[in-house]
Amino acid sequence: MPGDTSNTLIRTLSRSVRGHVRESALAPILMAFEVVIEVIIPFGMASLIDDGITGGDMGHVVRMGSALAALAALSLTFGAFSGVYAARASAGFAANLRSDLFRRIQGLSFPNMDRFPPSSLMTRLTTDVNNIMMAYGAVIRMAVRAVLMVSFALAMSFRINSSVALVFVGAIPVLGAGLFTITMKVHPIFVRAFKRYDSLNNVVGENLRGIRVVKSYAREAGEAGKFSEASGDIYRDFTKAQKRVAFNMPFLQLCIYSCTILISWVGARLIVSGSMSTGELMGIVSYSMMILMSLNMLSFVFVMIVISRTSAKRVMELYGEVPAILPPANPVTEVADGSISFSGVGFSYVGDAGRLCLKGVDLTIGAGETVGIIGGTGSAKSTLVQLIPRLYDVTSGSVKVGGVDVRDYDPAALRDAVAMVLQKNTLFSGTVAENLRWGDAQATDGELREACGLAMADGFIMDMPGGYGAKVEQEGLNLSGGQKQRLCIARALLKRPKVLILDDSTSAVDARTEAAIRKSLSETLPETTKLIIAQRISSVMDADRIIVMDGAGVGAVGTHGELMAGNAVYREVCASQARGVGDFDEG
């Protein structure tokens, strides 16, 4: 039901007001005081004109003038403090909402993240939250002011003269209906426009991440064209929306001038007949301007609400996203050892048993064993190992680590026992030491150097200005590919894992350094199960066993010698690499 959806949306977003409830309450309360005083001022003006100026009583003019000046100053004070509290409340609300969303994103699993591209998440955390913040600030201040002003001014107008005040009764529904129609026609355009923002952010993100490729291929003009196209789509949508919103002001002006003419005409007739004074007419004219300008303010708030409603629904998509991987009711929190077992494993990224990228995988890997994994492009090597720390859940079958189904573990405990060095080496802006301590936040300087020694990284780190305190630029742009890989290996080693997965993580280092890394890992981590995905046969030929991935499953398993003797595909790859004419590609 739409009403239920709106109520759910409001309840969910209102949780982020925490810590700013006082400011959120004071802003409308102070605004109410300001409105009451502003409504009293025209009533006092009528008295000043009728009893003071028309009546020739200068004492009354001085007294009433002084009182009105004091009321105006008091109204200004209330309005200023209302603005301050509204700003604090809306900014604090947005900060909480942004933090809540970020924590929500951190709690999502890989399958959930596949549904939300990074560009879309960035838009929701920035543009969408800002839209909601602006609407919230407008509601607790501007909307309160407009509603109270219309109500009080209308009441005062009826008190002065009900015949003239009836003009407003006819004008308000017409104005309200017109503004509602305009804002409703704008809503679908804003829905489309914010989706365009996702596309724009995606273009920018891809360009900045791949700027070296763009420049090396001299594709700046093409990228500028893609950006212009995405930006142009947003321009066209917002132009169309603003054209419709632009009808607000002329329509409002038409209502204002029509009401002014009617009030003047009716009021003049009443003055001539003696049923109304000049001061009373001036008061009603002032109230008419208050009412109609407040309705204009409401139309502005309505537009902001329409925009923010679109943003709020996009934010609610994240709130409504249930993590695909959740801990069981009574999770196992300790991984006994690094033994791994695949039993009848089938897997599909879309959860469709008819579209499996892994089929019927049966494997048993002992604790402390070193296993190499090779295969062609698309043979699901990376997919296979991502099931071990339960980054994804199997579609069928089971995966066990330490003799326990991975679905029975607490995900954090399981992932703390399984260290992965992924194909894409990700480093964060900060120092070398800060990046390494992602593996163990409490690691000592000696432990950092020990891990880096095993990964053959200590030498180049000490050659950097500042050593372990040297700055790492965002994504490690000031490091070579091999240096980044070695730092990532060292970071993983600091976890002291039961299972270590190296997913093509030495492809950028030379053969001699790679051999030294393999030797140090073998000698210092004898109880850690090591899975090495590689393109080069030389990277895995010394492994206890080698798994050859073929198609959507395991083609063969054996030692280097066994595969050379009994597997034609493996022999062919070895021969081609020996001649330097072929490698297995990444998969």
Side-chain angles (χ1 to χ4, degrees):
M1 293 292 290
D4 295 338
T5 302
S6 297
N7 291 335
T8 301
L9 187 150
I10 292 172
R11 284 197 304 270
T12 302
L13 294 180
S14 64
R15 297 171 191 159
S16 298
V17 181
R18 65 184 183 279
H20 301 279
V21 175
R22 176 174 170 271
E23 292 93 336
S24 298
L26 282 173
I29 290 172
L30 293 173
M31 180 54 65
F33 284 127
E34 181 189 13
V35 169
V36 169
I37 294 172
E38 285 192 25
V39 171
I40 292 174
I41 289 175
F43 196 76
M45 286 292 295
S47 175
L48 186 148
I49 293 171
D50 291 338
D51 300 331
I53 297 174
T54 305
D57 186 352
M58 287 305 297
H60 183 78
V61 171
V62 172
R63 288 191 301 274
M64 186 57 67
S66 299
L68 291 175
L71 286 173
L74 190 59
S75 174
L76 177 65
T77 302
F78 281 131
F81 277 103
S82 174
V84 169
Y85 285 122
R88 290 178 180 174
S90 58
F93 164 67
N96 288 340
L97 179 58
R98 205 173 284 114
S99 297
D100 292 344
L101 283 177
F102 189 77
R103 283 194 293 270
R104 187 73 181 174
I105 292 170
Q106 298 304 301
L108 296 179
S109 308
F110 274 32
N112 302 104
M113 299 300 290
D114 291 341
R115 293 185 59 245
F116 293 96
S119 58
S120 177
L121 295 176
M122 288 292 292
T123 304
R124 292 166 207 253
L125 283 170
T126 53
T127 303
D128 288 328
V129 170
N130 286 338
N131 288 337
I132 297 171
M133 175 186 72
M134 297 295 290
Y136 182 71
V139 166
I140 64 175
R141 188 164 183 261
M142 295 173 64
V144 169
R145 174 186 174 84
V147 171
L148 292 178
M149 183 66 78
V150 170
S151 302
F152 291 158
L154 194 58
M156 294 299 286
S157 297
F158 270 99
R159 182 178 180 188
I160 293 173
N161 192 294
S162 59
S163 298
V164 179
L166 285 173
V167 173
F168 301 127
V169 176
I172 289 175
V174 173
L175 183 59
L179 297 179
F180 179 79
T181 301
I182 291 171
T183 52
M184 288 303 100
K185 286 184 176 295
V186 168
H187 175 67
I189 303 175
F190 282 124
V191 172
R192 185 170 64 245
F194 286 116
K195 290 182 179 179
R196 308 263 198 210
Y197 269 120
D198 293 346
S199 299
L200 181 70
N201 286 339
N202 186 53
V203 170
V204 174
E206 281 189 342
N207 179 271
L208 296 180
R209 286 192 300 271
I211 191 65
R212 296 186 180 186
V213 177
V214 172
K215 290 189 173 297
S216 65
Y217 281 86
R219 291 289 298 171
E220 292 91 341
E223 289 295 298
K226 287 168 59 178
F227 179 85
S228 297
E229 182 179 352
S231 181
D233 288 338
I234 296 174
Y235 164 77
R236 283 184 287 273
D237 280 338
F238 271 95
T239 300
K240 188 175 181 180
Q242 291 300 328
K243 284 179 181 177
R244 297 187 179 185
V245 172
F247 281 102
N248 271 6
M249 186 54 68
F251 183 65
L252 176 72
Q253 294 292 340
L254 175 64
C255 291
I256 290 176
Y257 293 141
S258 298
C259 286
T260 302
I261 292 171
L262 285 172
I263 289 170
S264 300
W265 181 72
V266 174
R269 290 175 63 88
L270 292 174
I271 290 173
V272 171
S273 66
S275 302
M276 187 178 185
S277 68
T278 303
E280 289 175 335
L281 178 60
M282 292 295 295
I284 287 186
V285 169
S286 296
Y287 288 132
S288 72
M289 296 302 295
M290 288 181 181
I291 291 171
L292 296 172
M293 293 309 295
S294 294
L295 289 174
N296 179 47
M297 190 179 295
L298 275 178
S299 74
F300 174 73
V301 173
F302 280 146
V303 171
M304 294 189 66
I305 289 174
V306 168
I307 296 173
S308 68
R309 184 170 170 237
T310 304
S311 293
K313 286 184 176 180
R314 286 162 52 81
V315 165
M316 285 298 294
E317 286 182 15
L318 285 180
Y319 273 108
E321 186 74 7
V322 178
I325 295 176
L326 293 170
N330 297 298
V332 178
T333 58
E334 185 69 31
V335 179
D337 56 48
S339 62
I340 303 167
S341 171
F342 290 81
S343 179
V345 169
F347 175 75
S348 167
Y349 281 102
V350 295
D352 184 354
R355 300 170 59 187
L356 297 175
C357 54
L358 280 175
K359 297 179 183 178
V361 176
D362 291 290
L363 280 172
T364 300
I365 299 171
E369 193 173 1
T370 299
V371 176
I373 304 175
I374 65 171
T377 301
S379 59
K381 303 186 297 296
S382 296
T383 300
L384 180 74
V385 297
Q386 286 179 7
L387 300 177
I388 297 171
R390 203 189 171 196
L391 298 181
Y392 292 91
D393 270 337
V394 296
T395 305
S396 60
S398 66
V399 178
K400 294 182 180 180
V401 174
V404 177
D405 193 309
V406 294
R407 290 167 292 195
D408 293 332
Y409 281 110
D410 175 72
L414 173 64
R415 291 165 191 171
D416 196 47
V418 179
M420 289 191 70
V421 184
L422 301 172
Q423 287 179 343
K424 183 179 179 181
N425 301 284
T426 302
L427 296 173
F428 300 88
S429 54
T431 66
V432 170
E434 288 170 347
N435 271 278
L436 291 171
R437 286 194 170 100
W438 276 66
D440 180 1
Q442 307 303 320
T444 64
D445 292 345
E447 289 170 333
L448 296 185
R449 294 205 65 174
E450 180 183 1
C452 289
L454 295 175
M456 302 297 140
D458 184 67
F460 79 79
I461 292 173
M462 295 307 295
D463 289 339
M464 296 173 67
Y468 284 79
K471 291 291 183 181
V472 176
E473 294 180 8
Q474 188 175 18
E475 296 187 3
L477 292 178
N478 59 330
L479 299 172
S480 70
Q483 290 172 334
K484 286 192 288 186
Q485 286 186 336
R486 283 177 279 172
L487 281 179
C488 290
I489 293 172
R491 181 174 63 187
L493 294 178
L494 282 167
K495 292 181 70 174
R496 302 173 187 83
K498 299 276 182 27
V499 178
L500 175 63
I501 301 171
L502 304 178
D503 188 352
D504 200 27
S505 55
T506 57
S507 58
V509 302
D510 60 84
R512 182 177 179 181
T513 302
E514 182 188 15
I517 293 173
R518 290 200 309 270
K519 184 173 184 295
S520 64
L521 294 181
S522 175
E523 292 175 350
T524 58
L525 300 173
E527 297 181 358
T528 297
T529 304
K530 294 170 280 294
L531 305 181
I532 304 171
I533 297 177
Q535 299 177 49
R536 298 184 298 230
I537 295 293
S538 59
S539 301
V540 297
M541 61 187 302
D542 294 328
D544 298 321
R545 284 187 297 160
I546 301 169
I547 299 171
V548 180
M549 300 296 294
D550 185 17
V554 176
V557 180
T559 64
H560 173 70
E562 291 170 345
L563 292 173
M564 285 293 291
N567 188 272
V569 174
Y570 187 83
R571 281 199 307 273
E572 183 179 344
V573 172
C574 285
S576 65
Q577 290 190 10
R579 295 193 301 269
V581 297
D583 271 350
F584 268 129
D585 296 326
E586 292 182 36

